[in-house]
Amino acid sequence: MTAAEQSSDWKDLELERLYIDFAEEHLNPLWTQLGDLMPMVPTSRALPFVWRWSKLYPLAARAGDLVPVGRGGERRAIALANPGLGGVPYATPTLWAAIQYLGPKEVAPEHRHSQNAFRFVLEGEGVWTVVNGDPVAMRRGDFLLTPGWHFHGHHNETDQPMAWLDGLDIPFAHYMDTGFFEFGSDNVTDDATPDISRAERLWSHPGLRPLVGLETTASSPIAAYRWEHTDRALTEQLALEDEGYPATVEPGHAAVRYTNPTNGGDVMPTIRAEFHRLREGTRTRPRRNVGSAVYQVFEGTARFRLGDQVHTVHQGDLITVPSWTELSIESQSPLDLFVFSDAPIMERLHLSRSLTVEGA
């Protein structure tokens, strides 16, 4: 064996010993994993995925027959577990989404947590969510807030069950080690059933801000963004487009963002929520965005192109869009879509980036 060969063998042996010593000291050298730690573009472990309402709702109803909703389990909420995330109950690395099911005359006890939450109602009515003692009616198309550390419980006053979409920033809070939780009343602190909450009576007047609430708040003080206002705003955008005015984000595509009236920003510091309406036959421009999103079809049928996959989706279906996944939507009927995302996190950390895919 030549001296050069002996030197090479010695280096190989020493390198092997070096890596063993690294492992014993819980160390990882950058040069062996640069592509994983610093990819050329975002490469989310989360996968584009579609959950079918036709499967979700029957499973939730079965849970309603078998699983109690009282203290302990707290909520009959069934989380969407992205198949790319190893079985954890997360829709994306930052967002939690679930179908919550409340049976006839049931009460979900009060609690609070540092994670921010909202509810979006696909169908039904007769349930009130009580947020910091304020009863808020839940009805079809309503978007309702439960900001972090607000006590909240729910009560169903009807003989029919009701299911809705829950969205939270649970994964983000988990990875940041910021989660707190506290039990509240075993019932709800106010079982009244008003048509409109106290928060709405104070805050939900277009363009008007009460002088008793001039301070800026991290989350919106509006308890519920009602469907009738969302629907009217979208209808008027498309009507203005018909009249030749620039009112839509692209031809045939109306959209609104739910906002915090105290600062003009997003409704909560970690979650953005929007509603989109597409005329039949409209196709959105393909885009990529840093950060993840979850869509729910409120009305209509569409084709979602997620990367190289195409999914036909219908009312109630939920679609997850991981970071930097190319997305375009083609409506096959008049289409209404609710969407929430982690965009506020990305923007505050100056990580936000978007790309319109040309020629797609």
Side-chain angles (χ1 to χ4, degrees):
M1 180 180 294
T2 66
E5 289 172 333
Q6 289 177 339
S7 176
S8 177
D9 287 347
W10 176 84
K11 286 184 178 180
D12 289 343
L13 181 60
E14 287 301 304
L15 186 61
E16 183 179 345
R17 289 174 177 167
L18 177 64
Y19 289 137
I20 291 172
D21 290 342
F22 281 159
E24 288 180 352
E25 297 301 322
H26 305 287
L27 301 171
N28 270 312
L30 173 63
W31 59 84
T32 65
Q33 52 192 311
L34 179 62
D36 292 331
L37 290 176
M38 297 181 180
M40 300 299 288
V41 297
T43 54
S44 178
R45 291 191 301 116
L47 298 176
F49 198 76
V50 175
W51 288 267
R52 302 294 180 183
W53 188 254
S54 60
K55 300 284 186 67
L56 291 173
Y57 188 83
L59 288 170
R62 286 168 60 188
D65 293 335
L66 299 170
V67 180
V69 76
R71 184 64 81 203
E74 292 297 291
R75 300 289 187 262
R76 195 183 293 108
I78 305 158
L80 310 185
N82 189 289
L85 297 179
V88 295
Y90 304 157
T92 82
T94 53
L95 300 173
W96 193 85
I99 301 304
Q100 186 169 164
Y101 185 93
L102 196 64
K105 304 298 183 182
E106 280 191 327
V107 175
E110 291 193 348
H111 63 216
R112 65 178 177 176
H113 38 72
S114 51
Q115 295 87 346
N116 294 293
F118 72 80
R119 327 209 176 277
F120 179 74
V121 184
L122 181 68
E123 55 190 25
E125 60 181 85
V127 171
W128 275 257
T129 182
V130 182
V131 182
N132 277 355
D134 188 4
V136 187
M138 298 175 63
R139 296 185 290 264
R140 178 182 182 275
D142 290 347
F143 172 64
L144 307 105
L145 298 185
T146 308
W149 215 236
H150 283 46
F151 276 113
H152 55 283
H154 322 300
H155 60 104
N156 186 346
E157 295 300 315
T158 75
D159 295 322
Q160 299 296 322
M162 185 169 162
W164 60 85
L165 172 66
D166 281 344
L168 293 91
D169 56 7
I170 288 175
F172 179 73
H174 172 76
Y175 291 128
M176 296 297 103
D177 291 329
T178 59
F180 290 88
F181 183 93
E182 182 179 329
F183 291 116
S185 168
D186 287 341
N187 207 295
V188 289
T189 50
D190 191 334
D191 61 3
T193 57
D195 287 337
I196 185 170
S197 64
R198 294 190 293 274
E200 292 169 84
R201 291 167 61 191
L202 185 61
W203 282 96
S204 295
H205 304 286
L208 301 174
R209 182 170 176 174
L211 294 183
V212 297
L214 288 178
E215 69 278 4
T216 297
T217 58
S219 296
S220 172
I222 299 175
Y225 294 74
R226 298 298 180 186
W227 169 242
E228 53 264 32
H229 304 304
T230 307
D231 182 40
R232 179 65 181 271
L234 296 164
T235 298
E236 293 296 349
Q237 284 187 21
L238 292 175
L240 286 166
E241 180 185 67
D242 287 339
E243 296 164 22
Y245 296 100
T248 54
V249 293
E250 53 190 339
H253 180 183
V256 294
R257 181 174 299 168
Y258 303 95
T259 60
N260 178 349
T262 75
N263 61 17
D266 290 292
V267 288
M268 291 185 288
T270 54
I271 293 176
R272 172 167 296 167
E274 297 178 344
F275 204 100
H276 294 246
R277 175 170 290 171
L278 278 66
R279 299 184 195 270
E280 183 175 359
T282 297
R283 184 175 185 269
T284 65
R285 291 186 295 270
R287 292 184 64 83
R288 298 180 187 269
N289 293 296
V290 166
S292 54
V294 177
Y295 286 76
Q296 184 168 38
V297 180
F298 184 64
E299 287 279 0
T301 301
R303 287 163 55 90
F304 267 65
R305 182 176 292 276
L306 300 162
D308 58 0
Q309 305 172 25
V310 178
H311 303 271
T312 299
V313 295
H314 308 278
Q315 182 177 6
D317 290 351
L318 289 144
I319 307 100
T320 186
V321 184
S323 183
W324 213 241
T325 298
E326 184 178 321
L327 167 68
S328 65
I329 303 167
E330 183 178 356
S331 57
Q332 297 182 303
S333 69
L335 180 69
D336 280 353
L337 293 169
F338 172 79
V339 57
F340 71 103
S341 73
D342 57 14
I345 300 172
M346 302 304 145
E347 291 176 359
R348 283 180 173 82
L349 296 178
H350 301 283
L351 298 173
S352 181
R353 183 181 294 191
S354 297
L355 173 68
T356 300
V357 181
E358 301 296 342

